[in-house]
Amino acid sequence: MTSAGKADRKASLDAASWLFNVVTSVGIIIVNKSLMATHGFSFATTLTGLHFATTTLLTVILKWLGYIQPSQLPLPDLLKFVLFANFSIVGMNVSLMWNSVGFYQIAKLTMIPVSCFLEVVLDNVRYSRSTKLSITLVLLGVAVCTVTDVSVNAKGFIAALVAVWSTSLQQHYVHSLQRKYSLGSFNLLGHTAPVQAASLLILGPFLDYWLTNKIVYAYDYHLISMSLIVLSCTIAVGTNLSQFICIGRFTAVSFQVLGHMKTILVLILGFIFFGKEGLNHQVVMGMFIAILGMIWYGNASSKPGGKERLPSSKSQKNSALSESSEVDEKV
C-alpha cells in the first residue's frame, strides 16, 4: 500500500472512530435522560456498574470465541487505572449534586488544560502557539454555550477538583497503558471492566442512597424502565469501547477537544426533541465559536510542530551511548 493510501485509510479509521464515539455517547445521554428524568431512575453509580458488567460479559464471550487474544496487564497498573476511573465516576456524580450547573460545566472545561499539563509533564509533549489558541477558542465557545449561574462552595470545589484530576489521569492512563503494553481497546476493556463492574456494583447502591436518599432495590421497576436500562447498558458497551479506541488512536487532549462536539450535538438534539427552551442567541454564538475552535485545533495540531512528543532526556542519553558504542566498534 502506498503512503497516500495508508494516509487515506488512517483518516477513514480516525473519522469512523470519532463517529462511533459521538453516536454512542449522544445516544446514551438521551436514553439516560429519559430513564432518570422521565422514569425517576436516579441511581447513576449503580447504572454505571451495570454498564461495565455488560461490557465484561461481551469481552468474556469474545475471548471465548477467540476474537480477543490473551494479554497481560500488571496488577498494580490495573488497580491504579480502576482507582482513577472510579474516582472519576463518583467525583462527577458528587460534583453535579454539590455544585451549580454553571460551576459543574466550568470544572469539566478545565479537564483540557489539566490533560495538556499531564502530557507536557509525563509525555514531554509540546504545543505550538496556534494549537494553544485553538484550544482556548474551544473552551470559550463551550463556556458561552453552557455556563450560566456560577456559585462555588468548599465541598463542591473539592468534589470538582477530584473529578477533574481523576478523569484526566484516567484518560491519560488509557493512552499510556495501550502504548506501554501494546493493548488493543478490547484487551484493555477485558482487564479493567470486570474490576470496575464489581467495585461499582458493590459501592454503587450505598453511594446512590447517600446522594439521592433512595434505595435502588426499592425502585418500582416496570417494562419501560427495564427496557431503557437494557438499552443503556447495550449502548454503554459501544461508549466504553469507542472511548478506548479514540484515546488509543489520538491522545486524551484531542479526545477532550473534539469530544466537546458531543456537547454541541446534545444541545442541538435537545432543541429538536424538547423545543426552543435553552436555545438562544448566546448558545448559538457559543456553538459557532466552539466549532471554529475545533476546526482550527484539527488543522493546527496536524501541522509539523503543532503538537509533538520530544525525545526524553533518558532516550537521548541512550541514543548517545548507542552512537558512542558504534564509534568504539569501528575504531
Side-chain angles (χ1 to χ4, degrees), residues 198-215:
S199 57
L200 290 173
L201 287 176
I202 292 170
L203 297 175
F206 298 101
L207 182 66
D208 288 332
Y209 177 73
W210 178 55
L211 293 173
T212 66
N213 206 29
K214 296 177 183 178
I215 302 173

Side-chain angles (χ1 to χ4, degrees), residues 106-128:
I106 285 178
K108 284 180 68 177
L109 291 177
T110 61
M111 287 181 199
I112 293 181
V114 170
S115 295
C116 289
F117 173 78
L118 291 174
E119 287 193 354
V120 169
V121 173
L122 300 178
D123 292 340
N124 210 25
V125 170
R126 294 295 178 268
Y127 298 89
S128 68

Side-chain angles (χ1 to χ4, degrees), residues 112 116 127 131-139 253 257 297:
I112 293 181
C116 289
Y127 298 89
T131 304
K132 292 175 186 175
L133 289 174
S134 68
I135 291 173
T136 305
L137 191 63
V138 172
L139 293 173
V253 173
V257 171
Y297 175 81

Side-chain angles (χ1 to χ4, degrees), residues 79-95 107 110-111 114-115 118 157-174 196 243 247 252 256:
L79 295 178
K80 195 187 299 183
F81 175 88
V82 171
L83 184 69
F84 292 150
N86 286 357
F87 264 107
S88 168
I89 293 163
V90 173
M92 282 296 178
N93 289 340
V94 174
S95 176
T110 61
M111 287 181 199
V114 170
S115 295
L118 291 174
F157 179 81
I158 293 170
L161 195 67
V162 170
V164 167
W165 276 93
S166 57
T167 302
S168 300
L169 283 165
Q170 182 253 345
Q171 292 182 354
H172 179 271
Y173 217 45
V174 169
Q196 281 191 264
Q243 181 191 34
I247 296 176
Q256 283 284 344

